[in-house]
Amino acid sequence: LCLNSFAVSNYRGAHIALRCMLEDLYRHLYYKDHPEEYGALRFDPFAEEAFKQSPVDLREYLEKVSYLKSLKELNSSFMPKINDGEEDIFALNASLYSTASAYVHGSKMGSMNSFRSNSNVARNKAKEIALVRTVSQFTRIACAFLISAHADEFRTFNDYDKSIVLEAFDLNQRSGLRKALNI
């Protein structure tokens, strides 16, 4: 949906899809660690209401899980932090969620669609560049979280498959991530 929205210059729709992708990522990681609750969801689609796990709760949960702890030692470029004030992947994750949420709520003038019909749709190079940057950041966060959460499975991949997954990162980021996760 994000790509489809991008293709038709619906930048708000693309950001809304991005927020959904973030929330799906959070739920995957949470339910990976809570199989009983996940099982309950399979039989009762309203069970999630009883669990009362908001996106904020799920983001806070991510900062507590042991398999993501090594990422706290890295800055958002996946290099070892020099000081505690540097933005890490969790702060970047919160920032991305906030950016995407602005489009869901239309809380900023630039986050609302300003067309009434398809004939009003127009490409906006600045918005495209910003969206591509945001989606790239999401891709790196998602890969880092998923590799961390499934490190044992990731280690069983052949070198070619690992290299495809790690293409989301530039050479320095890849090196920092591999060292931190011992992959």
Side-chain angles (χ1 to χ4, degrees):
L1 290 175
C2 186
L3 183 59
N4 290 343
S5 294
F6 179 83
V8 296
S9 302
N10 180 356
Y11 308 112
R12 183 177 190 199
H15 280 88
I16 290 170
L18 179 65
R19 183 174 130 164
C20 291
M21 294 183 324
L22 282 161
E23 290 177 357
D24 287 348
L25 174 65
Y26 305 155
R27 284 188 184 89
H28 168 78
L29 295 170
Y30 179 80
Y31 290 121
K32 170 197 170 295
D33 297 337
H34 297 85
E36 297 83 16
E37 291 164 341
Y38 179 70
L41 288 177
R42 294 184 62 214
F43 298 106
D44 179 5
F46 300 104
E48 191 168 30
E49 299 284 328
F51 300 148
K52 304 231 188 292
Q53 295 293 328
S54 71
V56 172
D57 295 333
L58 295 171
R59 280 196 316 277
E60 289 173 358
Y61 172 77
L62 295 179
E63 293 192 40
K64 298 173 188 171
V65 295
S66 61
Y67 55 80
L68 296 178
K69 276 193 175 161
S70 60
L71 296 177
K72 285 186 177 210
E73 307 301 317
L74 305 177
N75 63 26
S76 60
S77 295
F78 301 95
M79 298 282 96
K81 284 184 183 177
I82 296 171
N83 61 57
D84 288 339
E86 284 187 87
E87 179 186 58
D88 63 18
I89 192 169
F90 299 99
L92 178 58
N93 179 44
S95 174
L96 288 177
Y97 191 83
S98 177
T99 297
S101 293
Y103 286 86
V104 170
H105 303 294
S107 60
K108 296 178 186 170
M109 192 53 129
S111 67
M112 295 186 289
N113 284 339
S114 59
F115 51 85
R116 294 181 183 179
S117 73
N118 287 342
S119 64
N120 297 115
V121 174
R123 284 187 68 198
N124 181 315
K125 193 69 169 170
K127 285 185 178 185
E128 283 184 7
I129 291 169
L131 179 60
V132 167
R133 184 177 56 248
T134 301
V135 170
S136 294
Q137 290 171 326
F138 164 76
T139 302
R140 285 190 291 276
I141 286 172
C143 286
F145 283 170
L146 292 170
I147 291 168
S148 297
H150 301 284
D152 290 338
E153 291 91 345
F154 185 78
R155 287 184 189 101
T156 67
F157 290 9
N158 65 46
D159 288 340
Y160 177 73
D161 290 340
K162 285 179 190 174
S163 73
I164 291 172
V165 174
L166 293 171
E167 279 295 313
F169 307 91
D170 69 29
L171 190 59
N172 290 331
Q173 293 168 340
R174 193 175 317 143
S175 174
L177 185 66
R178 289 187 84 131
K179 286 178 188 172
L181 301 180
N182 194 27
I183 52 171

